Amino acid sequence: MSTNSEVIVGEGASKVLFSNSAKLSLIAGPCQMESRDHAFMIAGVLKELCDKLGIGLVYKSSFDKANRTSLSGKRGIGLEKALEVFADLKKEYGFPVLTDIHTEEQCAIVAETVDILQIPAFLSRQTDLLVAAAKTGRVVNVKKGQFLAPWDMKNVLAKLNESGNPNVLLCERGASFGYNTLVSDMRSLPIMAAMGAPVIFDATHSVQQPGGQGGSTGGDRRFVETLARAAVAVGVAGLFVETHEDPDNAPSDGPNMVYLKDMPRLLEKLLAFDAIAKA
């Protein structure tokens, strides 16, 4: 089975198109789900903004951040509570939702509510997890492992396609470059696009400094816009941006999340680059 070069997720007026040749779509939300009220607050702001800009929105948040640097790291509100919130968000706003899965058992459970199953970068080569995610029939977004070359993703894509799922997104999020450092190789975007799948650029995890604060991951949000502009200029199907109203006090990934108030200016700039890249 081959992959689809265009992936559509959601239904009705809120359905979202991911295509390397179409106007970019956005995957955005806080790193982890903190509460129902917090999720609705950020979702409402993002929905209003994306409607104004005329771009598709997939809301993302993690019910469990299973790869924390230390045992004391906060992980989220848990699977059962998060799925209830996701269902209510979809009912209220209509947009599709995305969350990470970490075990084979979670795939079918999460797929009952969530539209896109995300494979974390550290798990991008876990065959049984990929197969279980593929067999749900949901769209699968695979974060390219920090340890993988872009051309290695053809094997990841094949595992999903050969398990019966052509609806796959490939996501660039930086490659390991020495200790506590990631670097974004923009060549990876056209290399993965040539495999036939829509490509997503994760602008916020690409500025991470893994384990850079000793007991937690650091990052430098100053460079989110720089890398996002470069990726959009190359051409991508979508952007992945984590955002928070007070990232410096967020329970995870605060140093690389974008301030919610800065999202309008950032997206307006990126849409201008996108229009030129795809003219």
Side-chain angles (χ1 to χ4, degrees):
M1 177 180 287
S2 61
T3 195
N4 286 337
S5 60
E6 292 188 350
V7 171
I8 297 174
V9 60
E11 299 177 352
S14 295
K15 69 182 179 182
V16 179
L17 168 67
F18 290 100
S19 168
N20 296 322
S21 59
K23 186 176 183 179
L24 69 82
S25 294
L26 178 68
I27 301 171
C31 176
Q32 64 173 260
M33 191 175 286
E34 300 174 30
S35 69
R36 175 187 173 85
D37 289 345
H38 187 256
F40 266 80
M41 183 275 293
I42 291 186
V45 173
L46 290 173
K47 173 64 173 172
E48 182 178 358
L49 174 59
C50 289
D51 285 350
K52 179 181 177 182
L53 296 175
I55 60 175
L57 170 65
V58 174
Y59 182 82
K60 73 81 47 186
S61 198
S62 298
F63 62 84
D64 179 18
K65 300 299 294 183
N67 59 343
R68 297 298 82 196
T69 303
S70 68
L71 191 61
S72 62
K74 294 182 179 180
R75 293 179 52 165
I77 67 173
L79 176 58
E80 185 175 347
K81 290 182 179 178
L83 290 181
E84 292 176 0
V85 175
F86 279 130
D88 290 343
L89 286 168
K90 291 175 63 174
K91 184 177 180 180
E92 176 70 20
Y93 296 112
F95 49 50
V97 296
L98 171 152
T99 199
D100 307 271
I101 44 92
H102 304 92
T103 68
E104 300 160 51
E105 294 75 19
Q106 289 175 350
C107 293
I109 297 169
V110 172
E112 293 180 4
T113 302
V114 172
D115 302 276
I116 302 179
L117 304 185
Q118 181 163 280
I119 308 295
F122 288 127
L123 300 176
S124 58
R125 286 186 51 167
Q126 295 297 105
T127 300
D128 291 343
L129 180 61
L130 292 168
V131 171
K135 288 186 175 180
T136 66
R138 291 296 195 180
V139 174
V140 180
N141 181 43
V142 189
K143 296 284 192 78
K144 180 177 72 64
Q146 303 93 325
F147 45 85
L148 290 177
W151 42 86
D152 293 330
M153 289 299 283
K154 68 179 184 298
N155 298 314
V156 175
L157 184 61
K159 290 178 183 179
L160 292 159
N161 290 165
E162 292 170 15
S163 299
N165 196 328
N167 295 311
V168 180
L169 308 173
L170 299 179
C171 185
E172 171 59 52
R173 51 95 72 238
S176 295
F177 189 73
Y179 296 129
N180 306 125
T181 305
L182 298 174
V183 65
S184 294
D185 181 358
M186 296 301 164
R187 297 178 304 168
S188 70
L189 304 175
I191 289 171
M192 291 195 294
M195 299 173 191
V199 174
I200 310 299
F201 182 72
D202 182 344
T204 45
H205 287 99
S206 292
V207 302
Q208 271 187 340
Q209 296 165 336
Q213 294 183 340
S216 63
T217 288
D220 194 339
R221 73 174 65 91
R222 292 179 301 165
F223 299 112
V224 169
E225 181 177 327
T226 301
L227 294 179
R229 286 169 65 170
V232 173
V234 171
V236 289
L239 282 174
F240 181 107
V241 180
E242 289 190 334
T243 183
H244 195 281
E245 82 285 359
D246 185 16
D248 290 331
N249 289 301
S252 60
D253 277 2
N256 47 268
M257 280 199 283
V258 174
Y259 278 94
L260 188 60
K261 65 180 177 59
D262 292 336
M263 287 292 287
R265 181 189 60 84
L266 175 63
L267 290 175
E268 287 169 1
K269 283 188 177 183
L270 296 177
L271 285 171
F273 278 89
D274 187 61
I276 295 171
K278 295 170 181 171

